Amino acid sequence: MPARIIAIEGSDGVGKATQTQKLVEHLSKDGFSVASMSFPRYGTPAGRKIKNALFNSLIDPIEMAKLFHEDRKAALNDINKMVENNDFVVFDRYKYSSMAHMAARSEEPDKIIEKIKEFEKEIPEADLVIVISISPELSQKMIRDKNKDLHEVDIEYLRKTNTLYEKLAEANKWILINGEKNGDVISIEEMHEKIYSKVKEFFSI
């Protein structure tokens, strides 16, 4: 039986990498074989182009989406092996990031999403997509100490991205998790418990 694929998506600064790691550890502790991968991979040829665009000069959103796809396509053999050899594969950002983030830069977001869906067809679909959401203001607060890319400094862009994630979640039956409480991000453990309960419920494990 091929692995069940989980994608962790959501707002900048919400802790997607941390939650991916926590989920992998918890599933492993429960006796499942688990693999994970994070995108974009800045050390790859496509990843280096992505990094240059994000930090120096933004390019057309479709061309940018193609670079993200190129990075995933280069990993396709590894992805397929992980799917063949594990019970679960967890992605810290996956092809759904391109849909929300690149569509947020367009006046015609629905057209951008459909174009991205078309050329991402060869990349396996996730069985479960979990979107962690926090406000744009809180996103900027959480990433204040890092070297922000050109998207992360733009609060209107972050707001549009959140709106698109919510729209996509509703349309595709993704799970949307509120990652904040009383104006701050909820604790790592509380967020993990929210995520793991949804995973257990969805897969009946």
Side-chain angles (χ1 to χ4, degrees):
M1 179 180 174
R4 289 154 284 189
I5 299 175
I6 302 170
I8 304 294
E9 302 280 0
S11 307
D12 289 328
V14 79
K16 295 182 289 293
T18 300
Q19 291 305 320
T20 297
Q21 182 182 354
K22 294 284 289 183
L23 181 55
V24 168
E25 290 171 354
H26 201 153
L27 286 167
S28 298
K29 185 180 177 181
D30 282 355
F32 298 102
S33 58
V34 191
S36 65
M37 187 176 285
S38 177
F39 290 106
R41 302 171 304 152
Y42 289 130
T44 68
R48 286 190 285 272
K49 293 176 185 177
I50 291 166
K51 187 174 183 179
N52 181 62
L54 286 174
F55 285 92
N56 296 304
S57 180
L58 294 175
I59 61 176
D60 174 80
I62 282 294
E63 294 307 309
M64 191 73 174
K66 287 179 179 178
L67 286 178
F68 283 109
H69 172 67
E70 185 181 328
D71 185 30
R72 282 185 285 272
K73 186 176 178 180
L76 189 54
N77 285 340
D78 290 334
I79 291 171
N80 287 334
K81 286 177 184 176
M82 290 192 303
V83 169
E84 289 170 9
N85 296 313
N86 291 279
D87 297 316
F88 286 93
V89 176
V90 185
F91 290 103
D92 164 23
R93 292 165 296 185
Y94 200 36
K95 58 184 179 178
Y96 314 106
S97 291
S98 290
M99 295 176 193
H101 283 272
M102 295 303 102
R105 290 183 46 212
S106 172
E107 296 299 318
E108 298 180 301
D110 291 341
K111 287 186 178 181
I112 295 290
I113 289 168
E114 289 307 311
K115 285 182 181 179
I116 292 171
K117 283 181 180 178
E118 187 62 33
F119 60 70
E120 289 278 11
K121 277 184 177 178
E122 63 190 311
I123 306 300
E125 292 290 338
D127 299 288
L128 175 62
V129 180
I130 296 174
V131 179
I132 311 167
S133 181
I134 59 175
S135 70
E137 292 80 9
L138 190 51
S139 281
Q140 289 199 325
K141 177 183 174 183
M142 296 305 296
I143 58 180
R144 63 175 177 248
D145 294 328
K146 66 169 282 192
N147 183 22
K148 300 181 186 69
D149 65 40
L150 296 175
H151 285 157
E152 291 167 337
V153 298
D154 185 344
I155 197 162
E156 286 306 314
Y157 166 81
L158 296 178
R159 188 169 286 112
K160 288 178 183 177
T161 302
N162 274 9
T163 299
L164 282 161
Y165 265 130
E166 290 168 5
K167 180 180 177 181
L168 285 164
E170 183 177 0
N172 296 283
K173 294 183 171 59
W174 298 347
I175 291 175
L176 187 64
I177 291 178
N178 181 11
E180 68 177 277
K181 182 169 60 179
N182 300 325
D184 207 350
V185 176
I186 61 177
S187 72
I188 290 171
E189 287 303 325
E190 183 178 354
M191 193 179 295
H192 169 65
E193 289 305 320
K194 282 188 175 188
I195 291 169
Y196 202 67
S197 67
K198 294 296 185 182
V199 169
K200 288 179 66 177
E201 178 183 359
F202 186 86
F203 293 110
S204 301
I205 58 174

